[in-house]
Amino acid sequence: MMYCSTKQYVLSHWSDDDCVKILAQCKKAIPSREAGGKVIIKDVVVGTSSGLMLEAELLMDMAMMVMTSGRERDEQEWREIFTNAGFSDYKIMNKLGARCVIEVYP
């Protein structure tokens, strides 16, 4: 299996336009979905947690707005970025507290 992986929280540091550019380059580097190609992202998907984790997501979002051009995104915002980068499908797995593992398919 071949995949392109981003480091933790890398995409959160970038604007939507920059995320699309980064992911479009990843898409160029991987084979088709049928050949096992996918991009694996470990990042926050706002709205997938509750309680203290939700508070942590919101605090992280505020920090991102102050320190970078990026921000935390909800599933709809991620979907739009994936679509604009040319991907056809994705799968979000909420297994890491405030962080999720996202598989994005060409």
Short mmCIF file of all heavy atoms in Angstrom, two decimals, residues 18-61:
data_model
loop_
_atom_site.label_atom_id
_atom_site.label_comp_id
_atom_site.label_asym_id
_atom_site.label_seq_id
_atom_site.Cartn_x
_atom_site.Cartn_y
_atom_site.Cartn_z
N ASP A 18 -4.15 27.15 1.03
CA ASP A 18 -2.87 26.45 1.15
C ASP A 18 -3.06 24.96 1.40
O ASP A 18 -2.32 24.13 0.88
CB ASP A 18 -2.01 27.08 2.25
CG ASP A 18 -1.45 28.44 1.86
OD1 ASP A 18 -1.24 28.67 0.65
OD2 ASP A 18 -1.22 29.27 2.75
N CYS A 19 -4.08 24.59 2.19
CA CYS A 19 -4.37 23.17 2.42
C CYS A 19 -4.72 22.48 1.11
O CYS A 19 -4.27 21.36 0.85
CB CYS A 19 -5.53 23.00 3.41
SG CYS A 19 -5.09 23.32 5.11
N VAL A 20 -5.51 23.14 0.28
CA VAL A 20 -5.87 22.58 -1.02
C VAL A 20 -4.61 22.36 -1.86
O VAL A 20 -4.44 21.30 -2.47
CB VAL A 20 -6.88 23.49 -1.76
CG1 VAL A 20 -7.05 23.05 -3.21
CG2 VAL A 20 -8.23 23.48 -1.04
N LYS A 21 -3.70 23.32 -1.86
CA LYS A 21 -2.45 23.19 -2.63
C LYS A 21 -1.60 22.04 -2.11
O LYS A 21 -1.06 21.25 -2.89
CB LYS A 21 -1.65 24.50 -2.58
CG LYS A 21 -2.29 25.63 -3.34
CD LYS A 21 -1.50 26.91 -3.16
CE LYS A 21 -2.24 28.10 -3.75
NZ LYS A 21 -1.56 29.37 -3.45
N ILE A 22 -1.47 21.94 -0.79
CA ILE A 22 -0.67 20.86 -0.19
C ILE A 22 -1.26 19.50 -0.54
O ILE A 22 -0.55 18.58 -0.97
CB ILE A 22 -0.60 21.05 1.35
CG1 ILE A 22 0.24 22.29 1.69
CG2 ILE A 22 -0.03 19.79 2.02
CD1 ILE A 22 0.08 22.76 3.13
N LEU A 23 -2.58 19.36 -0.36
CA LEU A 23 -3.22 18.08 -0.64
C LEU A 23 -3.23 17.74 -2.12
O LEU A 23 -3.12 16.56 -2.49
CB LEU A 23 -4.64 18.06 -0.06
CG LEU A 23 -4.69 18.01 1.46
CD1 LEU A 23 -6.11 18.23 1.96
CD2 LEU A 23 -4.15 16.69 1.97
N ALA A 24 -3.33 18.74 -2.98
CA ALA A 24 -3.27 18.48 -4.43
C ALA A 24 -1.91 17.90 -4.80
O ALA A 24 -1.82 17.01 -5.65
CB ALA A 24 -3.56 19.76 -5.20
N GLN A 25 -0.85 18.38 -4.15
CA GLN A 25 0.48 17.83 -4.41
C GLN A 25 0.59 16.39 -3.89
O GLN A 25 1.20 15.53 -4.53
CB GLN A 25 1.56 18.71 -3.77
CG GLN A 25 1.72 20.05 -4.45
CD GLN A 25 2.09 19.92 -5.91
OE1 GLN A 25 2.98 19.16 -6.29
NE2 GLN A 25 1.38 20.64 -6.76
N CYS A 26 -0.01 16.13 -2.72
CA CYS A 26 -0.03 14.76 -2.20
C CYS A 26 -0.76 13.84 -3.17
O CYS A 26 -0.32 12.71 -3.42
CB CYS A 26 -0.72 14.72 -0.83
SG CYS A 26 0.22 15.45 0.51
N LYS A 27 -1.88 14.33 -3.73
CA LYS A 27 -2.68 13.53 -4.66
C LYS A 27 -1.85 13.15 -5.89
O LYS A 27 -1.96 12.03 -6.40
CB LYS A 27 -3.94 14.27 -5.08
CG LYS A 27 -4.87 13.43 -5.94
CD LYS A 27 -6.16 14.19 -6.22
CE LYS A 27 -7.12 13.37 -7.04
NZ LYS A 27 -6.72 13.18 -8.40
N LYS A 28 -1.02 14.07 -6.34
CA LYS A 28 -0.15 13.77 -7.50
C LYS A 28 0.86 12.68 -7.19
O LYS A 28 1.30 11.97 -8.09
CB LYS A 28 0.61 15.03 -7.92
CG LYS A 28 -0.24 16.09 -8.58
CD LYS A 28 0.63 17.28 -8.94
CE LYS A 28 -0.17 18.42 -9.51
NZ LYS A 28 0.67 19.60 -9.80
N ALA A 29 1.23 12.55 -5.91
CA ALA A 29 2.29 11.63 -5.52
C ALA A 29 1.81 10.21 -5.22
O ALA A 29 2.63 9.32 -5.01
CB ALA A 29 3.02 12.18 -4.29
N ILE A 30 0.49 10.00 -5.19
CA ILE A 30 -0.01 8.68 -4.81
C ILE A 30 -0.70 7.99 -5.99
O ILE A 30 -1.16 8.65 -6.91
CB ILE A 30 -0.99 8.77 -3.61
CG1 ILE A 30 -2.22 9.61 -3.96
CG2 ILE A 30 -0.28 9.31 -2.38
CD1 ILE A 30 -3.29 9.63 -2.88
N PRO A 31 -0.74 6.66 -5.94
CA PRO A 31 -1.46 5.93 -6.99
C PRO A 31 -2.97 6.06 -6.80
O PRO A 31 -3.45 6.66 -5.83
CB PRO A 31 -0.99 4.49 -6.79
CG PRO A 31 -0.60 4.40 -5.36
CD PRO A 31 -0.10 5.77 -4.97
N SER A 32 -3.72 5.45 -7.68
CA SER A 32 -5.18 5.47 -7.59
C SER A 32 -5.65 4.75 -6.33
O SER A 32 -4.91 4.00 -5.69
CB SER A 32 -5.77 4.77 -8.81
OG SER A 32 -5.47 3.38 -8.75
N ARG A 33 -6.91 4.96 -5.98
CA ARG A 33 -7.47 4.28 -4.82
C ARG A 33 -7.44 2.78 -5.00
O ARG A 33 -7.16 2.02 -4.07
CB ARG A 33 -8.90 4.77 -4.58
CG ARG A 33 -9.53 4.16 -3.35
CD ARG A 33 -10.89 4.74 -3.06
NE ARG A 33 -11.41 4.21 -1.81
CZ ARG A 33 -12.47 4.65 -1.20
NH1 ARG A 33 -13.16 5.64 -1.73
NH2 ARG A 33 -12.89 4.11 -0.07
N GLU A 34 -7.74 2.32 -6.21
CA GLU A 34 -7.73 0.89 -6.51
C GLU A 34 -6.35 0.27 -6.28
O GLU A 34 -6.24 -0.90 -5.94
CB GLU A 34 -8.19 0.63 -7.94
CG GLU A 34 -9.62 1.03 -8.23
CD GLU A 34 -9.81 2.55 -8.36
OE1 GLU A 34 -8.86 3.25 -8.77
OE2 GLU A 34 -10.90 3.03 -8.02
N ALA A 35 -5.31 1.08 -6.45
CA ALA A 35 -3.94 0.60 -6.25
C ALA A 35 -3.47 0.84 -4.82
O ALA A 35 -2.29 0.65 -4.51
CB ALA A 35 -3.00 1.27 -7.24
N GLY A 36 -4.38 1.28 -3.94
CA GLY A 36 -4.05 1.45 -2.53
C GLY A 36 -3.65 2.87 -2.14
O GLY A 36 -3.22 3.09 -1.02
N GLY A 37 -3.79 3.83 -3.05
CA GLY A 37 -3.39 5.19 -2.74
C GLY A 37 -4.36 5.88 -1.80
O GLY A 37 -5.57 5.74 -1.91
N LYS A 38 -3.80 6.59 -0.82
CA LYS A 38 -4.59 7.41 0.09
C LYS A 38 -3.66 8.36 0.82
O LYS A 38 -2.46 8.15 0.91
CB LYS A 38 -5.38 6.58 1.08
CG LYS A 38 -4.54 5.75 2.04
CD LYS A 38 -5.45 4.94 2.94
CE LYS A 38 -4.70 3.81 3.61
NZ LYS A 38 -5.59 3.01 4.45
N VAL A 39 -4.23 9.43 1.32
CA VAL A 39 -3.52 10.38 2.17
C VAL A 39 -4.05 10.17 3.58
O VAL A 39 -5.27 10.09 3.79
CB VAL A 39 -3.75 11.84 1.73
CG1 VAL A 39 -3.07 12.82 2.67
CG2 VAL A 39 -3.25 12.06 0.30
N ILE A 40 -3.15 10.08 4.54
CA ILE A 40 -3.55 9.92 5.94
C ILE A 40 -3.21 11.20 6.68
O ILE A 40 -2.07 11.65 6.66
CB ILE A 40 -2.85 8.71 6.59
CG1 ILE A 40 -3.26 7.43 5.87
CG2 ILE A 40 -3.19 8.64 8.08
CD1 ILE A 40 -2.54 6.19 6.35
N ILE A 41 -4.21 11.77 7.32
CA ILE A 41 -4.06 13.02 8.06
C ILE A 41 -4.45 12.78 9.51
O ILE A 41 -5.46 12.16 9.79
CB ILE A 41 -4.99 14.11 7.47
CG1 ILE A 41 -4.69 14.33 6.00
CG2 ILE A 41 -4.88 15.40 8.27
CD1 ILE A 41 -5.76 15.12 5.26
N LYS A 42 -3.63 13.28 10.43
CA LYS A 42 -3.99 13.24 11.85
C LYS A 42 -4.19 14.69 12.28
O LYS A 42 -3.24 15.47 12.33
CB LYS A 42 -2.91 12.57 12.67
CG LYS A 42 -3.28 12.43 14.13
CD LYS A 42 -2.34 11.52 14.90
CE LYS A 42 -0.96 12.07 14.99
NZ LYS A 42 -0.10 11.33 15.91
N ASP A 43 -5.44 15.07 12.52
CA ASP A 43 -5.75 16.46 12.84
C ASP A 43 -7.06 16.52 13.60
O ASP A 43 -7.74 15.51 13.78
CB ASP A 43 -5.86 17.28 11.55
CG ASP A 43 -5.35 18.70 11.73
OD1 ASP A 43 -5.65 19.32 12.77
OD2 ASP A 43 -4.66 19.19 10.82
N VAL A 44 -7.42 17.69 14.04
CA VAL A 44 -8.67 17.90 14.77
C VAL A 44 -9.81 18.07 13.78
O VAL A 44 -9.67 18.75 12.77
CB VAL A 44 -8.56 19.14 15.68
CG1 VAL A 44 -9.91 19.50 16.28
CG2 VAL A 44 -7.54 18.92 16.78
N VAL A 45 -10.93 17.43 14.06
CA VAL A 45 -12.17 17.66 13.34
C VAL A 45 -13.14 18.18 14.39
O VAL A 45 -13.61 17.43 15.25
CB VAL A 45 -12.71 16.39 12.67
CG1 VAL A 45 -14.03 16.68 11.96
CG2 VAL A 45 -11.69 15.83 11.69
N VAL A 46 -13.39 19.48 14.37
CA VAL A 46 -14.23 20.12 15.37
C VAL A 46 -15.63 19.50 15.34
O VAL A 46 -16.19 19.25 14.28
CB VAL A 46 -14.32 21.64 15.12
CG1 VAL A 46 -15.32 22.30 16.07
CG2 VAL A 46 -12.95 22.28 15.26
N GLY A 47 -16.15 19.23 16.52
CA GLY A 47 -17.50 18.68 16.62
C GLY A 47 -17.54 17.18 16.80
O GLY A 47 -18.61 16.61 16.96
N THR A 48 -16.38 16.52 16.78
CA THR A 48 -16.38 15.07 16.96
C THR A 48 -16.14 14.67 18.41
O THR A 48 -16.22 13.51 18.75
CB THR A 48 -15.31 14.40 16.07
OG1 THR A 48 -14.02 14.94 16.38
CG2 THR A 48 -15.63 14.60 14.61
N SER A 49 -15.85 15.64 19.27
CA SER A 49 -15.58 15.38 20.69
C SER A 49 -16.66 16.02 21.55
O SER A 49 -17.46 16.82 21.08
CB SER A 49 -14.22 15.95 21.08
OG SER A 49 -13.20 15.35 20.34
N SER A 50 -16.63 15.70 22.83
CA SER A 50 -17.57 16.31 23.76
C SER A 50 -16.84 16.64 25.06
O SER A 50 -15.71 16.23 25.28
CB SER A 50 -18.75 15.37 24.03
OG SER A 50 -18.27 14.17 24.61
N GLY A 51 -17.49 17.38 25.93
CA GLY A 51 -16.95 17.68 27.25
C GLY A 51 -15.64 18.45 27.20
O GLY A 51 -15.51 19.44 26.49
N LEU A 52 -14.68 17.96 27.98
CA LEU A 52 -13.38 18.63 28.05
C LEU A 52 -12.67 18.65 26.71
O LEU A 52 -11.94 19.60 26.41
CB LEU A 52 -12.50 17.96 29.10
CG LEU A 52 -12.93 18.13 30.55
CD1 LEU A 52 -12.04 17.31 31.47
CD2 LEU A 52 -12.92 19.59 30.96
N MET A 53 -12.86 17.63 25.90
CA MET A 53 -12.21 17.61 24.59
C MET A 53 -12.75 18.73 23.71
O MET A 53 -12.00 19.35 22.97
CB MET A 53 -12.41 16.26 23.90
CG MET A 53 -11.53 15.18 24.43
SD MET A 53 -9.84 15.58 24.01
CE MET A 53 -8.98 15.07 25.43
N LEU A 54 -14.03 19.01 23.78
CA LEU A 54 -14.61 20.11 23.02
C LEU A 54 -13.99 21.43 23.45
O LEU A 54 -13.64 22.26 22.62
CB LEU A 54 -16.13 20.14 23.18
CG LEU A 54 -16.85 21.28 22.45
CD1 LEU A 54 -16.57 21.21 20.94
CD2 LEU A 54 -18.34 21.24 22.72
N GLU A 55 -13.82 21.62 24.75
CA GLU A 55 -13.16 22.83 25.24
C GLU A 55 -11.73 22.92 24.72
O GLU A 55 -11.28 23.99 24.32
CB GLU A 55 -13.16 22.86 26.76
CG GLU A 55 -14.52 23.11 27.37
CD GLU A 55 -14.47 23.17 28.89
OE1 GLU A 55 -13.44 23.61 29.44
OE2 GLU A 55 -15.46 22.77 29.52
N ALA A 56 -11.02 21.80 24.69
CA ALA A 56 -9.65 21.79 24.18
C ALA A 56 -9.63 22.16 22.70
O ALA A 56 -8.75 22.91 22.26
CB ALA A 56 -9.02 20.41 24.39
N GLU A 57 -10.59 21.64 21.91
CA GLU A 57 -10.68 21.99 20.50
C GLU A 57 -10.85 23.49 20.31
O GLU A 57 -10.20 24.11 19.47
CB GLU A 57 -11.87 21.29 19.83
CG GLU A 57 -11.71 19.81 19.63
CD GLU A 57 -12.98 19.19 19.07
OE1 GLU A 57 -13.93 19.93 18.72
OE2 GLU A 57 -13.02 17.96 18.97
N LEU A 58 -11.75 24.07 21.09
CA LEU A 58 -12.04 25.50 20.95
C LEU A 58 -10.85 26.35 21.37
O LEU A 58 -10.53 27.35 20.72
CB LEU A 58 -13.29 25.87 21.76
CG LEU A 58 -14.57 25.18 21.29
CD1 LEU A 58 -15.72 25.48 22.24
CD2 LEU A 58 -14.93 25.58 19.86
N LEU A 59 -10.15 25.95 22.44
CA LEU A 59 -8.95 26.68 22.85
C LEU A 59 -7.85 26.58 21.80
O LEU A 59 -7.15 27.54 21.50
CB LEU A 59 -8.46 26.17 24.20
CG LEU A 59 -9.32 26.55 25.39
CD1 LEU A 59 -8.85 25.82 26.64
CD2 LEU A 59 -9.31 28.05 25.61
N MET A 60 -7.71 25.39 21.20
CA MET A 60 -6.72 25.20 20.14
C MET A 60 -7.07 26.07 18.94
O MET A 60 -6.19 26.66 18.31
CB MET A 60 -6.65 23.73 19.75
CG MET A 60 -5.56 23.41 18.78
SD MET A 60 -3.95 23.74 19.48
CE MET A 60 -2.97 22.63 18.54
N ASP A 61 -8.35 26.17 18.62
CA ASP A 61 -8.78 27.00 17.50
C ASP A 61 -8.41 28.46 17.75
O ASP A 61 -7.92 29.15 16.85
CB ASP A 61 -10.28 26.85 17.28
CG ASP A 61 -10.73 27.38 15.93
OD1 ASP A 61 -9.91 27.37 14.98
OD2 ASP A 61 -11.89 27.79 15.81
#
